[in-house]
Amino acid sequence: MSSKVILRSAMRSDVPAIFDLIQALAEYEKLSHTVTGDAITLENHLFGERHYGEVILADLGDKVVGFALFFHNYSTFLTKPGIHLEDLFVLPEYRGQGIGKSLITYLAKLGVERGCGRLEWTVLDWNESAIAFYQGIGADVLPDWRICRVTGENLVSLASR
């Protein structure tokens, strides 16, 4: 990693930069049309009365060039908390410098410090470069697990049953 890159916990004043990175990630994943949230809601969820997630930023000079947004989950089989990495993103022009690996390493250390039993995340099946990257750092890509998701009207309908 470039010695100029600094990893740090996000602050409230970083929310506009974080939201810009979220939008850049969505564009990269060809999912811009699914971004319906906004920076104000993100700020409330990261720094409001109840914190739903945490963010680690990668700074290069005075520019935020990457981020990792994560939250705790729980493993009943391990009876330990875990860390779920929701998003990891480094701006394309800054890739190949070890920034992504440093962000994941930072989270692994944080997980060990917090007594977590695992660090996990998902990856799109078409993103071969990300899959290769993750396998290169020792991650297992689990072939037999599928994400189940209920959103929008289906969530409202399920909740009303």
Side-chain angles (χ1 to χ4, degrees), residues 83-87 104 119-123 130 134 137 139-140:
I83 288 180
H84 177 81
L85 173 59
E86 179 66 18
D87 288 321
I104 289 182
L119 168 62
E120 60 189 3
W121 60 91
T122 59
V123 61
Y134 295 143
I137 63 168
D140 293 321

Side-chain angles (χ1 to χ4, degrees), residues 25-149:
L25 169 61
E27 183 177 325
Y28 172 76
E29 292 182 343
K30 301 170 183 65
L31 294 170
S32 293
H33 63 283
T34 66
V35 177
T36 59
D38 58 68
I40 294 169
T41 304
L42 179 66
E43 178 179 352
N44 186 47
H45 290 160
L46 293 177
F47 299 102
E49 187 174 318
R50 182 170 179 196
H51 298 210
Y52 290 95
E54 299 176 59
V55 175
I56 303 302
L57 296 175
D59 288 342
L60 184 58
D62 61 354
K63 183 173 176 71
V64 177
V65 300
F67 81 111
L69 188 149
F70 66 98
F71 53 86
H72 283 278
N73 56 16
Y74 193 81
S75 169
T76 54
F77 289 5
L78 299 176
T79 61
K80 290 186 175 187
I83 288 180
H84 177 81
L85 173 59
E86 179 66 18
D87 288 321
L88 174 73
F89 184 72
V90 175
L91 291 169
E93 60 269 29
Y94 297 97
R95 294 185 185 152
Q97 299 179 42
I99 298 169
K101 184 176 181 179
S102 293
L103 284 164
I104 289 182
T105 300
Y106 185 101
L107 289 181
K109 289 176 184 175
L110 188 64
V112 170
E113 289 172 10
R114 293 182 182 183
C116 295
R118 62 182 171 205
L119 168 62
E120 60 189 3
W121 60 91
T122 59
V123 61
L124 292 168
D125 62 358
W126 59 261
N127 196 341
E128 294 178 16
S129 63
I131 291 169
F133 168 71
Y134 295 143
Q135 289 173 327
I137 63 168
D140 293 321
V141 179
L142 305 175
D144 51 349
W145 288 85
R146 300 291 184 264
I147 297 170
C148 297
R149 181 175 290 160

